[in-house]
Amino acid sequence: MGLNHQMASLSCSMSEAFYLRRTLVLPPTICLFGLHRERWPEKASSAHSCVPIDELFDTLRLSQLVPIYLRSNRTGWARSLFPQTSVAHVPSKGWSSERVLREYPCGGAAKLVRRHVESFWFAQCTRNVVNTDALATALNHLVGAPPNAAKPMNVLLRSGLFFAPSIKAAAALIRARIGGGYASIHVRRSDKLTACTPADCATRDALTRPEAVLRALRLWIPLQSHLYVGSTEKPAFFAPLRPHFKLHFSDDFPAETANITNNYALYAMETLIFFGSVASVETFGYATSWFADACFPAAGLKGSKSQPSASLAERRGASAVDVQCRDGGGTLVNGVLYGRACTNNPPCGRKMALVPSPISCGRLLPDALLRNERPDAPSLRSRKRQDSHISCSSMQADMVAHARLHDQEASARIGHKEINMKNPMGPGKKRKQLLATLQKLQQAQEDHANISAQMAALDTKREMLARSEISLRSELQRLAQNVATASESVASA
């Protein structure tokens, strides 16, 4: 199960937790599927590796929408917190979220509800076992979507709203380096050239080779446009495209991606880069609808009707979603820029895919949307354009500046530092400054280790307190039963 399936399953479980008004208990790590551990693996591997879930998701912000508890990784964690009598085991068949809420209301005897699934967790939502309407309605209200907007299902995490700050910062930094409007393309080959019939595999291979990709791009994207490429193939594979487009790959931005520590985080970062583009091309036609669904935070730009007053359920999690800006070209939510690729993906919308054979819609992406103007220094002409990116891009430029402050330590680690050409520093001064930065980094690492040790001690104390609380509650229930029994005896006498 790759990251998209994992995010869909987690999003589905969050829908149920939101509906049940319960805290979602998650492991502290997320494991990378063996085939997706590396973008360009030297050899096939089925081994798994796990990373802290905080490296992928902003659990603090997410907890403002759906309360999250990161449990201990120790075996038997549930038994240490919850007596068997307070754990409800729920199967999939015959147990909808509505029934779970009736049978095991929050605050009742069941302190922990464990749903056991027979297949992928996300299937509980697609099969309408789990109630997704409550969370989807609340999300649409929080992003300002029109009343008739489609309700997002299983895409809460894929939307990028709750990706880790390091991932958002890296995407923003790369966008700033590219400058202005750019197109993007996702070319997935690798596993997709084997998980198919021989005839389909041959077609996929032919339509995703550089020559075929170039023919497809010329149907939609003007030549010499800036084009960000995310692919399972190495940059050298796309050499035939370089004379025709200004290509950008993650490898071109070592300083900006210094804090991207695993392939899942890299994929998440590139997802945000795709969202922020003017136009985006997918590998497969069926994936264009998935892309559009994940762009639901931009739904507020697709309708003019205002939302009705929010119900109490819809107001839950209001602090988890911050709509920072909207203009004619996109919207900025939780620090993520959802550009034209998310709103209408010009020029041809969902037709822009490599497989099956691409077709033209008779239009090219307008050059005006692809002018290489830096968002923090727009021209006077672009300022006057009502549909420009100026407002939201300017806000994201501020975020980029903030991200750069946090990125200085990573830049120092790889010996990359921007130089003010008006006041160049001598090599001695540069060396001293770099050493000072490295010393600060070492001190920060020591502080981090101390804080981690303190947090581990606090986790142990928290578990002890939780056990004590459960014991006290059980004792109170026992005393209440004794009082009730005594009262009945007195009444009988």
Side-chain angles (χ1 to χ4, degrees), residues 165-188:
S166 58
I167 293 173
K168 294 179 181 179
L173 287 165
I174 290 175
R175 279 182 43 79
R177 280 284 304 278
I178 294 174
Y182 64 94
S184 62
I185 184 171
H186 179 213
V187 182
R188 182 176 178 181

Side-chain angles (χ1 to χ4, degrees), residues 116-179:
H116 299 270
V117 300
E118 298 174 353
S119 59
F120 294 126
W121 228 105
F122 65 79
Q124 310 312 305
C125 286
T126 57
R127 295 171 183 171
N128 296 320
V129 176
V130 166
N131 181 297
T132 61
D133 187 75
L135 181 57
T137 300
L139 284 170
N140 272 354
H141 178 80
L142 292 174
V143 301
N148 59 347
K151 293 184 177 180
M153 178 189 293
N154 292 350
V155 292
L156 170 63
L157 294 181
R158 194 182 179 191
S159 71
L161 284 174
F162 300 99
F163 281 160
S166 58
I167 293 173
K168 294 179 181 179
L173 287 165
I174 290 175
R175 279 182 43 79
R177 280 284 304 278
I178 294 174

Side-chain angles (χ1 to χ4, degrees), residues 61 156-165 167-169 171-172 175 268-277 294-295 297-298 322-326 330-339 342 392-393 395-396 399:
R61 180 180 281 272
L156 170 63
L157 294 181
R158 194 182 179 191
S159 71
L161 284 174
F162 300 99
F163 281 160
I167 293 173
K168 294 179 181 179
R175 279 182 43 79
M269 179 201 75
E270 291 194 326
T271 297
L272 299 188
I273 294 173
F274 296 154
F275 286 166
S277 63
C295 284
D322 181 15
V323 181
Q324 298 153 307
C325 172
R326 280 200 185 94
T331 184
L332 188 66
V333 188
N334 284 7
V336 176
L337 183 64
Y338 299 89
C342 275
C392 293
S393 293
M395 288 192 68
Q396 197 190 39
M399 187 183 73

Side-chain angles (χ1 to χ4, degrees), residues 372-386:
N372 192 30
E373 298 168 349
R374 300 195 67 81
D376 51 348
S379 68
L380 290 176
R381 181 178 179 183
S382 64
R383 285 180 186 272
K384 295 178 181 178
R385 290 182 58 86
Q386 188 175 4

Side-chain angles (χ1 to χ4, degrees), residues 52 71 137 222 409:
R71 63 169 173 79
T137 300
E409 291 180 351

Side-chain angles (χ1 to χ4, degrees), residues 186-490:
H186 179 213
V187 182
R188 182 176 178 181
R189 286 167 55 86
S190 60
D191 58 322
K192 292 300 182 180
L193 298 185
T194 56
C196 45
T197 65
D200 284 342
C201 286
T203 299
R204 292 179 179 185
D205 179 39
L207 292 177
T208 54
R209 288 190 172 275
E211 298 77 11
V213 172
L214 177 59
R215 287 195 299 271
L217 289 173
R218 295 182 71 157
L219 297 174
W220 310 306
I221 312 297
L223 296 178
Q224 299 307 315
S225 299
H226 285 263
L227 180 69
Y228 185 91
V229 181
S231 178
T232 53
E233 298 288 350
K234 295 182 178 181
F237 179 81
F238 297 94
L241 275 66
R242 288 194 180 276
H244 308 281
F245 294 96
K246 300 170 185 176
L247 302 185
H248 303 278
F249 300 87
S250 62
D251 284 14
D252 299 332
F253 307 97
E256 289 76 8
T257 58
N259 291 328
I260 302 300
T261 58
N262 59 78
N263 196 39
Y264 273 14
L266 178 61
Y267 177 84
M269 179 201 75
E270 291 194 326
T271 297
L272 299 188
I273 294 173
F274 296 154
F275 286 166
S277 63
V278 174
S280 188
V281 178
E282 273 289 350
T283 307
F284 300 100
Y286 62 77
T288 59
S289 61
W290 298 350
F291 183 93
D293 290 344
C295 284
F296 78 86
L301 294 172
K302 299 179 182 179
S304 57
K305 296 181 181 179
S306 60
Q307 282 273 33
S309 58
S311 66
L312 178 61
E314 291 168 347
R315 289 198 299 269
R316 287 168 57 196
S319 59
V321 177
D322 181 15
V323 181
Q324 298 153 307
C325 172
R326 280 200 185 94
D327 61 23
T331 184
L332 188 66
V333 188
N334 284 7
V336 176
L337 183 64
Y338 299 89
R340 294 178 187 272
C342 275
T343 54
N344 61 343
N345 201 29
C348 301
R350 299 189 183 188
K351 295 180 180 179
M352 293 163 61
L354 303 177
V355 183
S357 297
I359 57 175
S360 171
C361 62
R363 298 185 300 276
L364 271 181
L365 190 65
D367 286 324
L369 299 180
L370 289 164
R371 289 197 186 98
N372 192 30
E373 298 168 349
R374 300 195 67 81
D376 51 348
S379 68
L380 290 176
R381 181 178 179 183
S382 64
R383 285 180 186 272
K384 295 178 181 178
R385 290 182 58 86
Q386 188 175 4
D387 61 345
S388 68
H389 274 266
I390 300 308
S391 177
C392 293
S393 293
S394 296
M395 288 192 68
Q396 197 190 39
D398 292 339
M399 187 183 73
V400 169
H402 181 71
R404 278 192 174 126
L405 292 176
H406 290 278
D407 205 52
Q408 284 179 352
E409 291 180 351
S411 298
R413 285 202 301 272
I414 62 172
H416 177 87
K417 189 172 182 66
E418 293 186 3
I419 300 174
N420 186 337
M421 298 308 294
K422 294 182 180 179
N423 297 290
M425 295 182 294
K429 189 173 182 180
K430 285 169 57 180
R431 184 173 181 275
K432 289 180 181 179
Q433 194 172 48
L434 181 58
L435 288 174
T437 303
L438 289 174
Q439 288 174 353
K440 291 180 181 179
L441 176 60
Q442 290 173 352
Q443 183 61 46
Q445 289 173 335
E446 292 176 3
D447 293 342
H448 177 72
N450 292 333
I451 292 172
S452 297
Q454 293 173 10
M455 290 181 66
L458 287 173
D459 283 341
T460 301
K461 291 181 180 179
R462 182 168 57 183
E463 289 186 7
M464 293 175 63
L465 288 172
R467 287 196 295 269
S468 299
E469 181 185 1
I470 292 169
S471 299
L472 287 172
R473 287 181 180 275
S474 299
E475 182 65 19
L476 286 173
Q477 289 178 353
R478 187 183 66 79
L479 290 173
Q481 290 174 354
N482 291 342
V483 169
T485 302
S487 298
E488 291 176 358
S489 300
V490 170

